[in-house]
Amino acid sequence: MNRRFALAVAAVALLAVSAGCLGYATGGGEVTNETLDAEPPREYDFDTDRDAAFDLSTDGTYTVVYAVGDREEMRLYRQTPYSGDEPMEFDALRYRYPDGEVITGSEFRERGGEVERTTDETWIRFADDMAGGELAFSGDGSPRRFSMRAYVEGSYTVTLPPDFSTDVPIVGHVSPRDHSVQTVGDSDRIVWDEVTSGSIVVQSYREGDLVVFGVILVIAAIAAVAGTLYFRRQLEALRERRRDLGLSVNEDDEDDGWL
């Protein structure tokens, strides 16, 4: 009896661990100073006048600069279809004070800021003297399909890599739809004047990809035509065999849309 009870307890414990139920006991995983102090993939553009400014790259990373304003904290999370909310992961955190001083993630903590990760979210809390500054970090995100929740209200921008575009429907898509596109150097910049909730989604393509898409469409069209002709020949051969066997064929119904 004791052995069965022990096995049952072990099974329950295993299920709890696999479901993440013990994550609260470990704090959901610490965000280390090494992660926060990592070098960003490229220089942060703190001179933006937007509330959230994203920069996408072909190396599969993004950078973002948020205007802190008078907020005390930010809750960063991702929604998943099966496991609910998950903490958002990022690195290379930097904070710039209104006077222009930029500090690293570990210095952010030393000066009263907090970065805490639970099983459901990552919290960034600002010290009292950090109002009016800017927060920046980087993470993984492809320009071909980039999605991010609107963690702050206000104006947003997403700058695409050079030679990427969203102009052609189906292969290009932007949400929310109330946006404009600006040309900055050799890059397109998508601008929303006001985002209050939900997520921003940008699906872009390299302009050279249109040739590939065109070739695929031509091949698909040829295959469709060839398949239709093959089916019609097979249907006609079947009717000929029915005639040869003396089976009745209604000649008036031969043209059924395929012939």
Side-chain angles (χ1 to χ4, degrees):
M1 184 68 179
N2 290 338
R3 182 179 179 183
R4 290 181 179 177
F5 179 76
L7 289 174
V9 171
V12 172
L14 180 60
L15 289 173
V17 172
S18 63
C21 296
L22 298 183
Y24 292 101
T26 62
E30 180 185 5
V31 183
T32 66
N33 284 340
E34 289 76 13
T35 297
L36 299 180
D37 290 351
E39 286 297 319
R42 52 200 164 274
E43 185 177 356
Y44 293 132
D45 181 14
F46 285 109
D47 293 329
T48 179
D49 59 354
R50 301 291 173 171
D51 294 293
F54 293 86
D55 182 75
L56 308 184
S57 174
T58 54
D59 65 2
T61 64
Y62 73 88
T63 62
V64 59
V65 176
Y66 286 106
V68 174
D70 59 356
R71 60 179 47 85
E72 298 179 353
E73 61 186 14
M74 290 179 63
R75 176 180 179 246
L76 308 177
Y77 65 97
R78 292 186 181 277
Q79 290 182 321
T80 62
Y82 303 110
S83 57
D85 293 348
E86 292 182 349
M88 193 176 79
E89 296 186 0
F90 56 84
D91 55 21
L93 186 144
R94 300 292 186 270
Y95 177 81
R96 188 174 83 160
Y97 285 94
D99 63 4
E101 180 186 7
V102 178
I103 60 175
T104 63
S106 59
E107 292 172 329
F108 178 83
R109 281 172 162 167
E110 291 171 0
R111 300 191 186 189
E114 298 179 14
V115 182
E116 177 189 5
R117 180 174 296 156
T118 72
T119 54
D120 296 328
E121 64 266 309
T122 300
W123 288 96
I124 298 179
R125 298 184 175 92
F126 303 98
D128 293 339
D129 64 344
M130 291 181 177
E134 293 172 292
L135 177 76
F137 55 78
S138 63
D140 296 330
S142 170
R144 297 186 184 276
R145 176 71 181 182
F146 180 76
S147 176
M148 184 65 62
R149 291 196 62 80
Y151 297 113
V152 303
E153 295 185 3
S155 58
Y156 277 65
T157 65
V158 173
T159 302
L160 300 176
D163 300 323
F164 274 75
S165 177
T166 60
D167 291 341
V168 178
I170 300 178
V171 292
H173 172 72
V174 177
S175 178
R177 295 187 178 276
D178 185 16
H179 69 278
S180 61
V181 179
Q182 302 173 352
T183 300
V184 182
D186 54 357
S187 298
D188 282 354
R189 175 173 292 171
I190 301 163
V191 180
W192 295 269
D193 291 330
E194 186 68 23
V195 178
T196 58
S197 62
S199 300
I200 59 170
V201 178
V202 176
Q203 180 176 303
S204 66
Y205 58 90
R206 196 189 300 268
E207 293 180 357
D209 293 342
L210 293 179
V211 177
V212 178
F213 296 147
V215 171
I216 293 174
L217 288 176
V218 170
I219 293 175
I222 293 174
V225 172
T228 300
L229 292 175
Y230 176 79
F231 177 79
R232 294 178 66 175
R233 291 194 184 99
Q234 292 294 104
L235 185 60
E236 181 60 29
L238 177 61
R239 284 175 171 163
E240 289 296 331
R241 286 196 294 270
R242 288 173 59 88
R243 292 190 186 98
D244 294 341
L245 294 173
L247 300 177
S248 60
V249 175
N250 189 344
E251 298 293 341
D252 294 335
D253 295 336
E254 282 191 1
D255 189 357
D256 56 2
W258 293 99
L259 297 174

